[in-house]
Amino acid sequence: MTQQNIDTFSDFENFFDTSPDLLCVAGYDGFFKRINPAVSRLLGYTEEELKSKPINDFVFSEDKNSTETARNELKKKVPLFNFENRYLTKEGNIVWLLWTSLPMENHQLVYAIAKNITYKKELEQERNAHLAQLTKINEEYKQLTYTSAHDLRSPVNNLLSVFELLDTSKISDPETLELIGVLKVTSEGLKDTLNEYVSVLDKKNDQIAKIENVDLNESLQEVLLSINSLIQNSSTTIVIDFSSFEAVHFNKAYLKSIFLNLITNAIKYGKTHESPIVTIRSYQSTTTKQLIISDNGIGFDMDKVKGKVFGLHQRFNKKSDSHGIGLYLVYNHITSLGGKITLESKLNEGATFTITFPTE
């Protein structure tokens, strides 16, 4: 061997031993044949310990199969680039490695180099956790805005119905008439703005809602008060029977929204020459609590609506103020907390919604 060859070999040995990257030679039999000190320093095992067991013994359990598959590809003379897997150190810590491996079929060996990317992976996991948290918060604000915008439309409609009941011919004061006109125009503008918001804020959000013991009658009365003019103007009769149970473990805001949407829908889709009648009652079996809300309105053709009735922007009539959002909100309020809702209806024979609350 010439002096130049000796120097070259010595330089290679120095490079191999001092490289901060993990350098190794592995056999087709799945054992390390040679490793540099960086491998031992990272994994915490001596060179002898690392050579004494199959390589897969040091691989993290969830990555064993993918590592074995990659090793089999190398045996088919397929080089391996940018392969990531996890190893367990002697102390039980997980480290991430990024591998480049080249097969040498004539010697039944694999030459491989790996970089420790654990820090990078930890940063990615931290970033993803922050993104998930921000996404959750963003979705919660979207849902809050979405629900508020939709539910505020009924009180605004209630306000507009008051203006319709006013007989301005009996008011002689010009300033009062002007103020009434301003209030009416402002209310109509607010209604249009809310409708625009609702049309934009249509993305479902699975929010974690506060669960508490909610009084059914108390929540219902708050809703009825907010739409009192609408009920009076439409000559709607509300029949209430909470004798089976009077309270439920649920989210109060969700329950009020359910009452609001189902009652206003029953009034909106009442029969032309028949005053709306809405019956609201509780029912309790040995295993479940249910809220049953029925009306005598125009009903649904169940053969046509089928599974679409609770979908977003699903409209089943030609009313101009139908937005296909109310039942969507009701469905999501209930199912997001583990409950369910069903509909029984026939065309021109009213509708019955049965809400089954989640088990307490």
Side-chain angles (χ1 to χ4, degrees):
M1 181 180 292
T2 65
Q3 184 62 43
Q4 183 178 1
N5 288 337
I6 294 173
D7 291 341
T8 300
F9 181 78
S10 177
D11 289 340
F12 170 79
E13 288 292 307
N14 287 334
F15 167 74
F16 190 92
D17 291 337
T18 59
S19 173
D21 291 329
L22 283 67
L23 305 178
C24 66
V25 180
Y28 274 32
D29 59 358
F31 283 75
F32 286 119
K33 302 303 180 184
R34 184 176 180 185
I35 57 174
N36 71 340
V39 179
S40 293
R41 284 196 299 269
L42 180 64
L43 298 182
Y45 294 97
T46 65
E47 182 173 347
E48 291 72 22
E49 288 174 326
L50 288 168
K51 289 180 178 179
S52 66
K53 297 180 181 180
I55 296 172
N56 242 28
D57 283 6
F58 304 101
V59 176
F60 185 60
S61 58
E62 293 180 13
D63 294 346
K64 288 182 183 293
N65 289 338
S66 61
T67 302
E68 187 63 33
T69 300
R71 187 176 296 113
N72 290 333
E73 288 297 305
L74 285 167
K75 294 178 182 179
K76 298 175 184 177
K77 298 187 290 186
V78 180
L80 192 64
F81 300 103
N82 299 319
F83 175 74
E84 296 179 359
N85 67 356
R86 290 165 289 183
Y87 277 65
L88 273 177
T89 68
K90 194 170 186 177
E91 293 182 355
N93 299 319
I94 296 174
V95 292
W96 280 90
L97 299 178
L98 178 68
W99 292 92
T100 297
S101 304
L102 299 174
M104 304 295 290
E105 187 181 26
N106 55 331
H107 296 296
Q108 299 284 286
L109 296 173
V110 175
Y111 293 152
I113 180 171
K115 290 184 177 294
N116 181 3
I117 59 170
T118 305
Y119 180 68
K120 176 183 174 183
K121 285 293 184 179
E122 290 173 347
L123 286 179
E124 287 179 358
Q125 291 173 355
E126 185 177 353
R127 181 196 65 184
N128 290 338
H130 285 311
L131 286 174
Q133 181 65 17
L134 288 173
T135 300
K136 177 185 173 184
I137 294 171
N138 186 48
E139 288 300 310
E140 288 175 348
Y141 278 119
K142 280 184 180 180
Q143 178 69 8
L144 176 62
T145 306
Y146 183 65
T147 303
S148 299
H150 180 269
D151 287 355
L152 280 172
R153 292 191 308 179
S154 291
V156 171
N157 287 335
N158 189 23
L159 181 60
L160 288 172
S161 69
V162 172
F163 291 118
E164 293 175 1
L165 294 172
L166 280 175
D167 186 358
T168 55
S169 64
K170 295 180 180 180
I171 302 174
S172 57
D173 182 45
E175 186 175 352
T176 301
L177 287 171
E178 182 180 355
L179 289 174
I180 291 173
V182 170
L183 285 172
K184 184 177 181 181
V185 170
T186 303
S187 298
E188 289 172 343
L190 178 58
K191 177 183 177 180
D192 291 338
T193 301
L194 288 171
N195 285 339
E196 289 176 4
Y197 284 165
V198 169
S199 68
V200 173
L201 299 169
D202 59 358
K203 188 174 181 181
K204 176 184 174 182
N205 176 64
D206 299 323
Q207 81 174 50
I208 300 176
K210 179 184 177 183
I211 305 299
E212 58 186 321
N213 200 46
V214 184
D215 186 282
L216 294 176
N217 191 58
E218 180 183 311
S219 298
L220 176 59
Q221 292 304 323
E222 289 181 25
V223 171
L224 295 180
L225 181 62
S226 72
I227 57 172
N228 180 62
S229 293
L230 177 63
I231 294 172
Q232 300 268 342
N233 199 33
S234 60
S235 301
T236 298
T237 300
I238 308 292
V239 180
I240 305 168
D241 178 9
F242 292 143
S243 58
S244 184
F245 65 90
E246 299 177 351
V248 67
H249 209 55
F250 203 64
N251 177 266
K252 186 174 183 179
Y254 282 7
L255 183 62
K256 289 169 64 176
S257 181
I258 291 166
F259 280 139
L260 176 67
N261 282 292
L262 293 184
I263 294 171
T264 54
N265 273 5
I267 297 172
K268 183 190 300 184
Y269 303 116
K271 295 175 184 175
T272 305
H273 303 295
E274 187 175 341
S275 297
I277 300 174
V278 183
T279 301
I280 305 169
R281 65 186 181 92
S282 60
Y283 171 78
Q284 184 169 7
S285 69
T286 55
T287 57
T288 62
K289 283 185 174 182
Q290 294 181 324
L291 184 66
I292 301 171
I293 302 178
S294 304
D295 64 64
N296 63 335
I298 60 176
F300 296 86
D301 184 341
M302 297 303 291
D303 290 332
K304 290 184 179 180
V305 304
K306 293 184 179 179
K308 299 184 293 183
V309 68
F310 297 111
L312 182 61
H313 295 319
Q314 294 294 327
R315 300 175 179 88
F316 307 106
N317 57 73
K318 297 181 180 179
K319 283 184 174 286
S320 60
D321 59 347
S322 176
H323 299 277
I325 294 175
L327 292 182
Y328 170 81
L329 278 177
V330 168
Y331 177 83
N332 281 279
H333 288 335
I334 295 166
T335 57
S336 68
L337 297 182
K340 66 178 183 179
I341 180 170
T342 58
L343 167 64
E344 293 181 11
S345 181
K346 290 183 180 179
L347 205 58
N348 295 316
E349 294 185 19
T352 297
F353 293 90
T354 301
I355 298 162
T356 302
F357 292 104
T359 304
E360 298 180 8

